[in-house]
Amino acid sequence: ILLVILSYCCLFHQWIYTLVTKRWAVADYSYCFLIPIISIYIIWEIRKKSKPHSFAYSSPLLGYGFLFIATIFFLIGKLGSLETFIYISIWLTIVGCVGVLFGKQALFRYWFPLFILAFIVPAPPFITRIMSFRLRLISTKIAAYVLQVIGIPCYREGNIIDLGITKLQVVHACSGLRYVIPIIIISLIIGYLYNNRNLLSGFILFILAIPMAIIGNAVRLILLAICSIYISLAVVENQLLHDLMGWVVFILSVGIIFGINWILIKIFGNKNFMPQHQNSFRTLKKPNILLHSIIITVLFVFLYFVQLVVFSKQIVPSRQSFDSFPMRIGDWIGKREFLSKKILNSLWADDYISANYYNIKTGNELHLLISYYNKQTALHTAHAPTSCLLGSGFDLRIKRVINPNPDTNRNFKVQQMVLYWAGKKVLSNFWFESRGRVITSEYLNKWYLFWDGITKHRTDGALIRVEMLLNQNQSISQGQIILDSFLVKLKPNVKPNIAPASARNAKPINYHLIFRVFV
């Protein structure tokens, strides 16, 4: 088992470190630090409540199935630059190792703590931002409605509540995301401990946890609004009071969950604190832990060296840097701007161009951002523009792919988004330049990263995004025509990279030989 643990850490050490220091360190997912402790505690309680010698070793095939799925997730995550897939493989590998070393029966017995352990995987950033944005809107709508009902005049615009004397802006930290997932986890644990044999009551508890968290966040906004009007505006500006009020509302929400659970127990009956596992085996089968440990270790070492071989063969094409990128494109005159070190660290780009352009005929303004990547990995790849814009406070109204337009000479597809920000309408276009392809889907781009990484040994590419502020009387179709005039002139300046002849003639990786060596 120690051999398995060492090989597991060797394969995943970089990702475990990133998961703990970067993903868990974010306030929305700081609860993840408690998940392994909770999982281990429940496992210990199950063992303590179980009868002695009630556990028999059974088939390891289900465990090997989980290890196979974990391997697929790991390879797709590495080659497709999908960080979350690698984190999922970290969890699936643990489940698989339990199933292989201790048998199928162990997976059935400890299914709940292993399921809770899955919460160590935070949601992808784009899902986090979309969830946060939606929760902000819901909480803001509820708070504004209640304030109007109780006689406090207010006006809501997006995620801003205008109280006249001040404005409450529901930012990302106030979205309620920090309430929702922890309360869901708490409801699952309470349902398992007290209602584990009644699926209906556990399901009811789980369903009620989500609106409870949203309503709890809306209550906090209402209290802040009332305090700012009847006590002092300093309440809204005091971060300590913000946090204190958040803790109070969260504890009250958890208390309500316990109250609902007590009612469910009265309705459906009381259950044991922990399930008693009966002995369903007449004879005990001793597992060959040494053999299975060696097989798992060989698999981990194999994956470790495969990723080294694959990424050492990645080709980095030669290209011209953005230093001489034109600041005059048709009727558009631009001025380059340089991003801060903090933004560059989150952008991960090897080269970039960020510039603001002004149309001398129509008076429109737009922002251009092109981020280029020599090699893309899970921690070094293009961000989804949707999540970045939503994280910046934009309200997404329309997202669609628009076909080439022969009237404007735009001969390639683009992803179009219509956003609202501070009462202004913004028209956005973006696409991925991926090894000679124009790709408008974030998911399809990930697939081609995986496929080209295997077949072409190339993962270079760029993300091109443009945001244009529409004038007061301009429609979306009129704005797209104006934006096309910029994109048509921009496209020749974004040339596909060509791999050097020596790299094109290089022998591909013999994956069949690697597989034979492993077998």
Side-chain angles (χ1 to χ4, degrees):
I1 293 177
L2 180 61
L3 191 66
V4 171
I5 294 173
L6 290 175
S7 59
Y8 177 86
C9 294
C10 178
L11 178 62
F12 290 114
H13 71 279
Q14 175 191 0
W15 303 103
I16 294 174
Y17 176 80
T18 304
L19 181 65
V20 173
T21 59
K22 291 186 178 180
R23 297 296 176 233
W24 292 4
V26 177
D28 288 339
Y29 294 103
S30 57
Y31 64 86
C32 290
F33 287 100
L34 296 174
I35 297 300
I37 300 173
I38 294 171
S39 181
I40 293 172
Y41 166 75
I42 297 176
I43 290 174
W44 181 260
E45 286 295 322
I46 293 175
R47 287 189 73 255
K48 192 168 65 175
K49 296 288 182 179
S50 301
K51 291 183 177 181
H53 308 296
S54 65
F55 175 74
Y57 183 79
S58 54
S59 172
L61 292 180
L62 184 59
Y64 278 117
F66 276 106
L67 286 179
F68 175 75
I69 297 172
T71 300
I72 299 299
F73 269 82
F74 178 75
L75 294 176
I76 293 177
K78 287 287 289 186
L79 290 171
S81 303
L82 293 165
E83 184 182 359
T84 303
F85 273 43
I86 298 177
Y87 297 149
I88 293 174
S89 72
I90 291 175
W91 168 68
L92 285 174
T93 303
I94 296 175
V95 176
C97 288
V98 172
V100 170
L101 298 177
F102 304 106
K104 178 177 65 176
Q105 189 68 15
L107 292 178
F108 292 152
R109 173 171 297 185
Y110 300 113
W111 72 268
F112 183 76
L114 291 175
F115 170 72
I116 288 295
L117 192 63
F119 284 95
I120 64 172
V121 181
F126 78 94
I127 292 181
T128 300
R129 287 165 180 158
I130 292 174
M131 286 175 58
S132 173
F133 179 74
R134 299 303 178 193
L135 289 172
R136 272 185 284 171
L137 287 181
I138 295 173
S139 299
T140 308
K141 288 179 180 178
I142 295 174
Y145 176 77
V146 173
L147 288 173
Q148 292 171 355
V149 168
I150 64 177
I152 297 177
C154 65
Y155 173 75
R156 184 189 67 85
E157 182 180 359
N159 60 330
I160 299 175
I161 300 178
D162 191 346
L163 297 170
I165 59 172
T166 186
K167 291 183 179 181
L168 291 177
Q169 183 177 7
V170 186
V171 296
H172 176 78
C174 301
S175 64
L177 187 63
R178 299 175 191 177
Y179 291 172
V180 172
I181 302 180
I183 288 181
I184 289 175
I185 295 172
I186 290 172
S187 68
L188 289 171
I189 294 173
I190 293 173
Y192 177 76
L193 296 181
Y194 297 101
N195 299 291
N196 61 291
R197 296 180 190 177
N198 195 314
L199 294 178
L200 179 60
S201 60
F203 180 74
I204 293 173
L205 197 65
F206 169 73
I207 292 298
L208 291 178
I210 299 175
M212 188 61 60
I214 295 173
I215 293 172
N217 189 50
V219 169
R220 184 174 71 153
L221 297 175
I222 294 168
L223 292 176
L224 284 173
I226 294 174
C227 290
S228 64
I229 293 175
Y230 295 105
I231 299 177
S232 172
L233 288 175
V235 174
V236 182
E237 301 170 356
N238 193 318
Q239 186 62 41
L240 179 61
L241 289 176
H242 262 274
D243 296 338
L244 179 62
M245 198 170 293
W247 272 106
V248 170
V249 172
F250 177 76
I251 293 172
L252 287 175
S253 300
V254 173
I256 293 173
I257 292 292
F258 271 100
I260 295 173
N261 180 69
W262 179 81
I263 295 173
L264 292 173
I265 289 176
K266 291 296 183 181
I267 296 174
F268 297 102
N270 196 0
K271 302 297 178 183
N272 294 327
F273 173 73
M274 195 66 66
Q276 299 285 342
H277 294 277
Q278 302 297 329
N279 186 6
S280 59
F281 298 87
R282 295 181 179 222
T283 59
L284 298 179
K285 182 181 177 182
K286 189 176 180 180
N288 192 340
I289 291 182
L290 179 60
L291 174 62
H292 293 307
S293 298
I294 292 174
I295 294 174
I296 294 173
T297 302
V298 170
L299 173 63
F300 290 165
V301 174
F302 168 74
L303 290 176
Y304 178 77
F305 282 106
V306 162
Q307 64 169 338
L308 291 182
V309 171
V310 171
F311 281 94
S312 65
K313 295 289 185 179
Q314 292 296 305
I315 299 168
V316 179
S318 58
R319 58 177 291 273
Q320 186 177 0
S321 70
F322 288 135
D323 292 337
S324 58
F325 196 86
M327 289 294 104
R328 178 68 186 259
I329 298 179
D331 296 328
W332 299 83
I333 299 176
K335 181 180 180 181
R336 183 167 184 174
E337 62 176 20
F338 295 92
L339 304 178
S340 65
K341 186 176 181 181
K342 181 180 179 181
I343 296 177
L344 287 176
N345 290 337
S346 62
L347 191 63
W348 297 335
D350 296 303
D351 194 8
Y352 78 95
I353 177 70
S354 177
N356 295 314
Y357 285 85
Y358 174 79
N359 191 308
I360 57 177
K361 290 185 177 179
T362 64
N364 288 91
E365 298 178 357
L366 63 80
H367 175 72
L368 169 69
L369 177 63
I370 304 176
S371 53
Y372 173 78
Y373 304 84
N374 294 322
K375 290 192 297 185
Q376 298 188 66
T377 63
L379 296 176
H380 188 82
T381 187
H383 296 278
T386 309
S387 64
C388 293
L389 292 171
L390 289 180
S392 303
F394 284 88
D395 181 8
L396 178 61
R397 301 291 178 88
I398 299 173
K399 183 183 179 184
R400 61 189 176 188
V401 176
I402 56 175
N403 293 318
N405 189 350
D407 295 334
T408 60
N409 295 324
R410 176 172 54 80
N411 57 1
F412 56 94
K413 293 181 179 181
V414 294
Q415 184 80 250
Q416 183 192 74
M417 295 189 295
V418 179
L419 310 109
Y420 285 81
W421 181 74
K424 298 178 180 179
K425 190 186 297 184
V426 177
L427 180 63
S428 175
N429 286 179
F430 74 87
W431 73 92
F432 297 90
E433 286 281 342
S434 299
R435 301 159 296 284
R437 301 185 189 92
V438 173
I439 302 175
T440 57
S441 169
E442 300 98 318
Y443 308 105
L444 191 59
N445 179 60
K446 294 296 184 182
W447 161 251
Y448 278 118
L449 280 176
F450 170 73
W451 182 251
D452 290 349
I454 294 177
T455 59
K456 297 182 179 180
H457 313 305
R458 287 180 58 184
T459 55
D460 56 281
L463 168 64
I464 297 94
R465 47 178 280 196
V466 181
E467 287 88 44
M468 186 181 77
L469 189 65
L470 294 178
N471 293 337
Q472 187 173 3
N473 297 322
Q474 285 178 342
S475 64
I476 297 173
S477 58
Q478 291 172 339
Q480 187 61 52
I481 293 174
I482 297 171
L483 192 55
D484 282 350
S485 68
F486 177 79
L487 298 182
V488 170
K489 301 289 185 181
L490 171 69
K491 191 66 169 64
N493 294 286
V494 187
K495 300 176 182 178
N497 300 320
I498 301 175
S502 59
R504 293 197 299 272
N505 297 330
K507 293 182 178 180
I509 299 173
N510 194 336
Y511 292 100
H512 180 65
L513 178 60
I514 293 176
F515 178 74
R516 287 173 58 191
V517 170
F518 169 69
V519 173

